[in-house]
Amino acid sequence: MTFLTQDFYFIAAFAIIAAFTLFMVTVYAGRVWCGYACPQTIWTHLYQYVEKWVIGDRNKRIKFDKEPMSAKKAFKRSLIYFIWLVFSVITAATFVSYVAGTDYLYQSWQTIGFIPIPDWPTWVWVSMFIFTFATYANAGYMREQMCVQICPYGRFQSVMFDKDTLVVSYDYERGEPRGARKKAPILNI
Ligand code: SF4
């Protein structure tokens, strides 16, 4: 479907419905949006999965970061960056195609020498660059900092909680002090 400028009120209606749905879900079920549906979470997990696939689990990744640079380390790092870049370009192309149209975006190519290059106007190149950079930086590096420092929903969602809201949180009484546990006495009741 093609939406023109005069159809903009659809966006307003969609935004209002989406906002109220989000608030209602948050009141009852806490941070389910953050945990399961927010693109920031999904892309961050996707990029972390790439690291896990190339290097290994968390302990292996910490060890890997401390290792001196070698050909093997450089190869693995380059592979991760390359896959991240591919995901970022796919994400950017998806966003830009909503405006430019998929036919235009994927079929406007020219050949310079033997190299096929997209024949896009400047605004498409600039949009592709901005979305690619934003995706790469957010999911590759910013990650949870986006939630802690920038996301407005992250800042005000606690005001939507009440005593019946489902919340996953750290149990201080159970978790502290950290370290080895003493054997608890067996209670005979
Ligand atoms: S705090 Fe914001 S950016 Fe972070 S997961 Fe929740 S909605 Fe997404």
Side-chain angles (χ1 to χ4, degrees), residues 101-117:
T102 48
D103 290 349
Y104 180 75
L105 198 69
Y106 301 129
Q107 291 174 12
S108 306
W109 290 75
Q110 60 182 332
T111 306
I112 298 178
F114 295 102
I115 305 170
I117 304 267

Side-chain angles (χ1 to χ4, degrees), residues 103-151:
D103 290 349
Y104 180 75
L105 198 69
Y106 301 129
Q107 291 174 12
S108 306
W109 290 75
Q110 60 182 332
T111 306
I112 298 178
F114 295 102
I115 305 170
I117 304 267
D119 185 19
W120 296 331
T122 310
W123 73 267
V124 173
W125 280 108
V126 171
S127 305
M128 283 292 293
F129 175 79
I130 290 172
F131 278 113
T132 302
F133 176 76
T135 308
Y136 195 96
N138 269 343
Y141 296 99
M142 287 283 293
R143 297 186 174 175
E144 292 82 8
Q145 291 309 308
M146 174 62 82
C147 309
V148 175
Q149 310 286 354
I150 297 174
C151 175

Side-chain angles (χ1 to χ4, degrees), residues 22 31 33-35 37-41 143-144 146-148 150-155 157:
L22 182 61
R31 301 187 65 184
W33 165 262
C34 293
C38 176
Q40 182 70 20
T41 301
R143 297 186 174 175
E144 292 82 8
M146 174 62 82
C147 309
V148 175
I150 297 174
C151 175
Y153 177 64
R155 309 300 300 180
Q157 61 184 261

Side-chain angles (χ1 to χ4, degrees), residues 170-184:
Y170 181 62
D171 185 343
Y172 186 87
E173 295 297 329
R174 190 171 170 219
E176 301 293 336
R178 299 177 193 207
R181 302 276 113 185
K182 283 185 191 150
K183 275 194 178 164

